[in-house]
Amino acid sequence: MANSKTPAPSGAAKPVTAAGGETHQTASAPDARLTTNHGTPLSDNQNSLKAGPRGSTLLEDFILREKIQHFDHERIPERIVHARGSAAHGFFELTKSLSKYTRAKVLTEVGKRTEVFTRFSTVAGGAGSVDTPRDVRGFAVKFYTSEGNWDLVGNNIPVFFIQDAIKFPDLVHAVKMEADRGFPQAASAHDTFWDFIGLMPEATHMIMWAMSDRTIPRSLRMIEGFGVNTFRLLNDKDEATFVKFHWRPKLGTQSTCWDEAVKIAGADPDYHRRDLFEAIDTGGFPEWQLGVQLLSQAEADALPFDILDATKLIPEELHPIEVVGRMVLDRNPDNFFAETEQVAFLPTNLPPGIDVSEDPLLQGRLFSYQDTQLSRLGTVNFHQLPINQPKGCPFQNLQRDGQMQMLVPKGRANYEPNSLAEAGEIGGPREDPKGGFRTAQIPVEDGKVRLRPESFADHYSHARLFFRSQTEIEQAHMATALVFELSKCSFEHVRTRILANLRNVDEGLAQRVADGLAMKLPPTSAPAAKPQDMKPSPALRIVGKYPDTLDGRSVAILVTDGADGAVVDAVRAAAEADGATVKIIAPKIGGAKLKGGKLLPADGQLAGSPSVLFDAVALVLSEDGCAQLLNESAATDFVANAFVHLKAIGFTAEAQPLLDKAGVVPDDGVIDLKAGAKAFLPPARTRPWAREPAVRLLA
Ligand code: HDE
């Protein structure tokens, strides 16, 4: 049927536009006009070529075919893991030289800025899944160093589920959507995951981290990062030192509550992506310190566990973390697909002076990432994509051709050695024995075996260390998370096996989880090695370490018509002076008419801006405005959720009926704003943890 806006066919052979003159934008300058992919300028981008104005479309229309065909192929396979990600450009600046340990320029040239591209991700969900499931976060940094790219492809948790790469496909199959039903998406709370975990006691330490608040982060700007695997640094004399890499966020490590994370998923599925983008867009550049733990072979040998085992961490109380640089992310990508989607991280991208260890998890990763890019990006030439190309140094060799070859190499010689350079021809690049990449000379001791070393056998001491190092609040959250996840498992034997394993971590924890499930504690499972008590590491906590400002956080001020503008201004000024972003939320997006008649424009409408999206809230209402909100569930939810999610609530006296209806009970985090807007800041900077037992039955 003809589009109603399309002028009736006149019989004249003049082009007909669908949208009419107003939206039919034209250009005649060559650099402004639309073309096909091969450069032919278009005269009409509104209509396909048809047999008559109301007739069938012609196969001849190569312009339509090219456009539709390109569109049909716009998607590439998403990453098998870490599919959902967000990224940014920035720089790394070295503040302390590691020249004693490495010859890598990126770690020896103090003050030099190296460009980086950093991609954060969830692990289990697909590319279109939400940002806030309980999940590990990927933290992958590509440093464009002057000696080639260095990719530090890490996570926000310093250990991993498994010890050997051969178990990775099993782990990922178990956590992803179940094979027959295709759900749940982006969730570990289901039978196959916990079945696998129960049968793989080596995962227990990682499970302690996964059940902690670290896996429900407040912001990607507020996560730590870890290289996880052990690497080596090699100095000028090729002497090797073990190294563990750490990223520490300037804004501190901060988390949400589980119920809050669940509700954010509905309110804003792009919560973390938006937060990162908007922070950078408004000049609030996220920053991290890079720290290293350095260990000689003798120091590694003295550890009561194997430094090659990625299920173990080295407590920083035992080997301190030395800060050697900082990373700042200061530019959003120009194009999500070209950069964030097409970036290819490879743990094998190592500049001279940084080398791998024999960690069997890392060894498998050395193959996997290169391999996966071939199916994801489709060609061995993926390194030629702008986001993957080395910068500030040439990349050249005698590899040739392949699909989508973008380069035009010159010369006759495509082999090495060759002697054509001497004949005046281009002979190509040559190896550099001194400055090139060299592998650490590590003696190979044994014959070929397919077995797990005895030194990897202890699966519980570190899980115990992590649990016992936490504050009581964090321990309660872990126990509660375990109860939640296991309650989603329909097979009783799956739950029972986890309980049996937990007894090796901590009897109290196992009992709490059993009580939370209303199950009996089963006999303890037999550990491969007897768990040891290690000295607790308070460095592993989050609670009690929130920074003493609102830097990077957000405050909502809920207003109604007739609200007192002076109070709004005072709260806004105090919160902004403390570093927060302030948003005005009103029942209508047009804003609220304040006492005195002035219109205060709103940043968000109440129903679409629930309190889960903010770190603290202030209720500046008029008596009438409050009376109306008593009949609006979005308003009661706004207040009730702020309360149960342990947020500071500032209020004017007129808001009391709403506080009462929402079940808010006065405590240190509920602040009458007549005491002054500043009184609202201290509870807003943290979470009033003491409130939690009053609002949640914790395990
Ligand atoms: Fe990955 N991992 N991984 N992984 N991983 C991938 O590579 C793999 C592991 C990590 O933002 C894939 O390009 C194996 C540990 C991040 O693009 C794939 C093993 C750590 C990212 C792959 C591991 C990570 C990936 C999928 C066990 C923390 C996202 C797409 C031996 C140190 C990078 C891709 C980005 C991505 C394989 C274990 C971190 C399939 C085989 C341990 C941050 O190659």
Side-chain angles (χ1 to χ4, degrees):
M1 206 166 74
N3 183 312
S4 60
K5 282 195 189 150
T6 307
S10 65
K14 66 174 186 207
V16 175
T17 67
E22 209 181 315
T23 55
H24 190 64
Q25 301 162 325
T26 60
S28 55
D31 59 352
R33 62 195 186 188
L34 277 170
T35 72
T36 65
N37 281 337
H38 302 277
T40 308
L42 304 191
S43 64
D44 181 347
N45 191 37
Q46 318 302 325
N47 300 292
S48 44
L49 187 67
K50 296 185 282 287
R54 301 177 64 231
S56 311
T57 300
L58 299 177
L59 184 60
E60 179 190 329
D61 190 352
F62 63 88
I63 293 171
L64 170 74
R65 277 190 285 115
E66 182 199 82
K67 185 172 176 181
I68 296 279
Q69 184 171 44
H70 195 278
F71 168 76
D72 290 343
H73 296 267
E74 269 179 11
R75 292 287 169 274
I76 58 174
E78 64 177 35
R79 289 164 173 81
I80 171 74
V81 279
H82 297 267
R84 177 150 183 96
S86 307
H89 296 271
F91 63 85
F92 170 71
E93 186 178 71
L94 191 72
T95 50
K96 185 175 175 197
S97 174
L98 287 172
S99 57
K100 198 172 147 203
Y101 305 100
T102 179
R103 63 194 174 99
K105 291 208 167 94
V106 63
L107 295 179
T108 55
E109 295 180 339
V110 172
K112 181 159 180 220
R113 288 188 173 187
T114 301
E115 269 186 66
V116 299
F117 187 69
T118 299
R119 183 174 181 274
F120 305 102
S121 46
T122 53
V123 179
S129 58
V130 299
D131 276 350
T132 54
R134 177 177 293 283
D135 198 357
V136 178
R137 297 302 186 282
F139 192 129
V141 183
K142 189 180 282 290
F143 299 74
Y144 300 94
T145 90
S146 60
E147 300 173 296
N149 290 347
W150 173 32
D151 293 356
L152 186 52
V153 196
N155 281 341
N156 74 330
I157 284 177
V159 291
F160 203 63
F161 292 99
I162 48 170
Q163 296 173 322
D164 190 310
I166 202 164
K167 295 312 297 169
F168 192 64
D170 299 298
L171 167 73
V172 174
H173 287 174
V175 73
K176 284 237 172 201
M177 303 167 300
E178 296 194 1
D180 55 351
R181 55 209 69 190
F183 59 81
Q185 175 67 259
S188 53
H190 58 111
D191 282 296
T192 58
F193 178 70
W194 287 99
D195 183 30
F196 179 77
I197 293 300
L199 294 165
M200 297 288 294
E202 70 200 52
T204 312
H205 184 201
M206 179 72 167
I207 284 298
M208 293 294 114
W209 285 80
M211 294 301 109
S212 79
D213 294 345
R214 305 243 178 187
T215 46
I216 42 172
R218 155 65 180 87
S219 162
L220 297 171
R221 300 173 291 135
M222 300 172 192
I223 58 172
E224 289 186 287
F226 304 91
V228 180
N229 301 115
T230 301
F231 289 84
R232 282 194 176 90
L233 297 179
L234 294 183
N235 65 13
D236 279 337
K237 294 184 214 127
D238 281 349
E239 291 160 343
T241 306
F242 287 118
V243 61
K244 290 272 191 189
F245 293 105
H246 300 251
W247 293 108
R248 287 172 157 178
K250 199 175 157 196
L251 297 176
T253 310
Q254 300 184 36
S255 293
T256 55
C257 303
W258 171 238
D259 181 65
E260 185 185 4
V262 169
K263 288 175 174 151
I264 292 172
D268 185 2
D270 307 303
Y271 183 66
H272 285 153
R273 180 174 290 182
R274 188 189 312 278
D275 168 272
L276 181 69
F277 188 92
E278 288 181 352
I280 294 175
D281 216 34
T282 52
F285 303 140
E287 184 171 335
W288 284 261
Q289 291 178 325
L290 177 68
V292 291
Q293 280 176 303
L294 299 164
L295 282 87
S296 65
Q297 183 69 55
E299 284 169 323
D301 292 343
L303 293 172
F305 51 89
D306 199 325
I307 197 166
L308 301 182
D309 175 356
T311 66
K312 308 293 193 299
L313 59 80
I314 306 174
E316 61 184 275
E317 289 82 353
L318 218 58
H319 286 279
I321 297 173
E322 268 183 73
V323 174
V324 297
R326 67 186 188 118
M327 173 172 72
V328 178
L329 299 181
D330 59 4
R331 183 163 66 86
N332 280 313
D334 289 315
N335 184 275
F336 185 88
F337 181 83
E339 300 179 278
T340 309
E341 195 59 17
Q342 290 201 121
V343 65
F345 290 96
L346 307 170
T348 39
N349 274 352
L350 298 162
I354 306 180
D355 197 7
V356 300
S357 72
E358 295 73 44
D359 170 347
L361 194 69
L362 177 58
Q363 292 281 318
R365 297 180 73 202
L366 304 181
F367 162 72
S368 179
Y369 290 65
Q370 173 78 20
D371 185 49
T372 206
Q373 308 311 342
L374 296 184
S375 69
R376 203 166 71 76
L377 297 167
T379 161
V380 284
N381 290 317
F382 67 85
H383 60 284
Q384 296 179 13
L385 292 166
I387 195 67
N388 295 327
Q389 281 182 21
K391 296 184 211 292
C393 67
F395 64 102
Q396 50 193 1
N397 53 46
L398 297 153
Q399 293 165 33
R400 289 289 184 267
D401 310 341
Q403 280 179 356
M404 303 306 282
Q405 176 58 253
M406 312 278 173
L407 306 176
V408 185
K410 295 208 167 72
R412 271 200 276 181
N414 56 1
Y415 53 94
E416 190 277 340
N418 71 67
S419 64
L420 300 196
E422 284 103 78
E425 288 265 354
I426 297 170
R430 297 289 191 264
E431 64 200 24
D432 173 4
K434 198 162 169 293
F437 180 87
R438 288 192 300 274
T439 298
Q441 296 301 300
I442 307 298
V444 176
E445 288 158 14
D446 298 312
K448 290 183 211 171
V449 287
R450 194 183 277 283
L451 54 75
R452 209 58 74 87
E454 204 44 50
S455 55
F456 282 31
D458 176 3
H459 299 146
Y460 293 110
S461 301
H462 277 237
R464 181 179 290 183
L465 163 74
F466 182 74
F467 180 72
R468 296 200 179 158
S469 298
Q470 302 300 302
T471 60
E472 272 180 36
I473 297 162
E474 286 160 302
Q475 290 185 342
H477 291 178
M478 291 166 69
T480 309
L482 278 160
V483 170
F484 176 91
E485 297 261 323
L486 295 175
S487 297
K488 292 267 187 182
C489 296
S490 55
F491 292 107
E492 194 179 331
H493 75 272
V494 166
R495 288 182 247 140
T496 304
R497 195 182 288 121
I498 298 290
L499 289 174
N501 290 353
L502 285 178
R503 294 191 68 172
N504 287 309
V505 178
D506 185 275
E507 285 289 355
L509 172 65
Q511 189 62 59
R512 285 160 81 167
V513 177
D515 291 347
L517 296 168
M519 286 175 67
K520 273 216 179 78
L521 263 190
T524 312
S525 61
K530 193 168 173 288
Q532 306 296 316
D533 290 327
M534 296 170 71
K535 207 164 156 234
S537 165
L540 299 175
R541 301 173 181 168
I542 305 180
V543 166
K545 294 191 194 161
Y546 277 29
D548 228 8
T549 73
L550 285 179
D551 235 353
R553 290 187 252 180
S554 64
V555 170
I557 308 181
L558 178 63
V559 296
T560 57
D561 285 346
D564 186 342
V567 180
V568 174
D569 289 347
V571 174
R572 190 205 293 266
E576 284 180 352
D578 211 39
T581 307
V582 174
K583 301 274 187 209
I584 302 294
I585 308 304
K588 295 180 182 167
I589 190 65
K593 232 183 225 154
L594 298 175
K595 193 163 77 184
K598 199 176 143 206
L599 181 78
L600 178 67
D603 300 302
Q605 191 259 340
L606 177 57
S609 313
S611 63
V612 292
L613 303 178
F614 308 99
D615 296 281
V617 300
L619 315 173
V620 184
L621 312 181
S622 65
E623 216 178 299
D624 279 358
C626 183
Q628 283 186 25
L629 290 187
L630 293 180
N631 296 325
E632 170 55 68
S633 67
T636 29
D637 285 353
F638 189 92
V639 179
N641 279 328
F643 189 65
V644 302
H645 298 149
L646 313 179
K647 291 173 184 176
I649 303 176
F651 67 98
T652 55
E654 296 81 0
Q656 191 61 53
L658 185 60
L659 291 175
D660 294 340
K661 184 152 187 205
V664 172
V665 183
D667 66 21
D668 288 353
V670 182
I671 307 295
D672 188 339
L673 293 170
K674 89 173 169 252
K678 286 214 174 101
F680 171 63
L681 299 181
R685 290 181 193 133
T686 174
R687 296 210 181 213
W689 301 110
R691 184 190 294 162
E692 194 160 34
V695 296
R696 202 163 292 126
L697 287 176
L698 293 163

